[in-house]
């Protein structure tokens, strides 16, 4: 998956409501539909693995190598939630995460390597992400299961939305902003057979 302007998404079909993104925890920005994940690398490949279940999975072992873990509730109004690069309008060929159709889902985001190479633009990925997803039930709170200095700093000094990553307004970022704010198009999942891996 490609990180674009320090982001990739967990997105549902339709326009991307970037103006509703809450970047206050520094890793997962929940929106009215879907969420954005803040990467360490500004542009370049990151490894993303997704796992779905019907029940909450076991918590990460304290001896594992994940550096940051945050659990949030994400809305899937159309029931077509997928991990997505913001590179263009085509979703990668990754499985649907909203296995029970439309509604809220819990997403546990695991990250490691975000501090590794923030200026990397190509080459082998140095960041790993695991997205565990299951139907949310009544749980809606954001839970920080494993913090980091980066997360603690974001909690102390949250980004104002207009200065959050991926929401720049300079001339050179205009095209990227249009793609980000529209999710690559008015209906980026309208061609489900297409993908960019």
């Amino acid at each position: 998956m490609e990180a674009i302007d320090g982001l990739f998404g967990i997105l549902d079909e339709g326009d991307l409501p970037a103006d509703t993104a809450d970047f206050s925890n520094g890793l997962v920005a929940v929106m009215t539909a879907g969420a954005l994940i803040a990467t360490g690398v500004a542009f370049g490949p990151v490894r993303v693995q997704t796992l779905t279940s019907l029940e909450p999975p076991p918590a990460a072992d304290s001896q594992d190598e994940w550096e940051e873990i945050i659990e949030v509730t994400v809305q899937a109004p159309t029931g077509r939630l997928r991990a997505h690069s913001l590179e263009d309008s085509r979703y990668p060929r990754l499985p649907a995460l909203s296995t029970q159709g439309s509604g809220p889902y819990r997403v546990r985001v695991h990250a490691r390597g975000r501090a590794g190479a923030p200026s990397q633009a190509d080459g082998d990925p140095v960041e790993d992400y695991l997205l565990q997803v299951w139907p949310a039930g009544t749980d809606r709170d954001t839970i920080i299961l494993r913090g980091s200095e980066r997360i603690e700093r974001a909690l102390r000094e949250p980004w104002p939305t207009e200065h959050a990553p991926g929401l720049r307004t300079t001339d050179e970022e205009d095209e990227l902003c249009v793609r980000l704010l529209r999710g690559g198009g008015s209906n980026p999942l309208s061609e489900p057979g297409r993908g960019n891996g």
Side-chain angles (χ1 to χ4, degrees), residues 12-13 52-54 74-82 96-106 133-136:
D12 202 24
E13 182 176 301
T52 60
S53 61
L54 295 178
V74 172
Q75 298 295 326
T78 72
R80 296 182 183 176
L81 202 63
R82 293 181 189 275
L97 301 176
S98 44
T99 56
Q100 299 297 298
S102 63
Y105 287 83
R106 289 298 278 178
V133 184
W134 65 95

Side-chain angles (χ1 to χ4, degrees), residues 36-166:
L36 298 172
I37 309 299
T39 59
V41 63
F43 293 89
V46 295
R47 284 182 289 264
V48 178
Q49 180 182 6
T50 61
L51 296 173
T52 60
S53 61
L54 295 178
E55 301 290 334
D61 186 287
S62 62
Q63 302 302 312
D64 72 18
E65 296 181 4
W66 294 110
E67 297 163 355
E68 302 165 306
I69 307 173
I70 294 182
E71 189 176 302
V72 298
T73 294
V74 172
Q75 298 295 326
T78 72
R80 296 182 183 176
L81 202 63
R82 293 181 189 275
H84 177 285
S85 172
L86 303 176
E87 181 179 29
D88 57 31
S89 64
R90 293 168 295 182
Y91 277 57
R93 291 180 183 153
L94 291 174
L97 301 176
S98 44
T99 56
Q100 299 297 298
S102 63
Y105 287 83
R106 289 298 278 178
V107 180
R108 190 178 294 160
V109 179
H110 303 67
R112 67 176 166 233
R114 287 204 305 156
S119 62
Q120 177 181 347
D122 53 23
D124 293 333
V126 296
E127 297 178 45
D128 294 282
Y129 297 86
L130 169 62
L131 312 176
Q132 294 176 313
V133 184
W134 65 95
T138 59
D139 200 355
R140 297 291 188 272
D141 293 336
T142 295
I143 303 172
I144 298 173
L145 298 169
R146 188 167 301 166
S148 66
E149 182 178 327
R150 188 175 197 158
I151 288 172
E152 293 302 319
R153 186 171 57 245
L155 291 171
R156 286 192 311 268
E157 304 169 12
W159 285 308
T161 300
E162 64 271 17
H163 299 299

Side-chain angles (χ1 to χ4, degrees), residues 3-26:
I4 300 297
D5 207 21
L7 298 168
F8 70 90
I10 304 170
L11 307 178
D12 202 24
E13 182 176 301
D15 288 346
L16 188 147
D19 59 330
T20 68
D22 175 5
F23 285 92
S24 60
N25 64 52

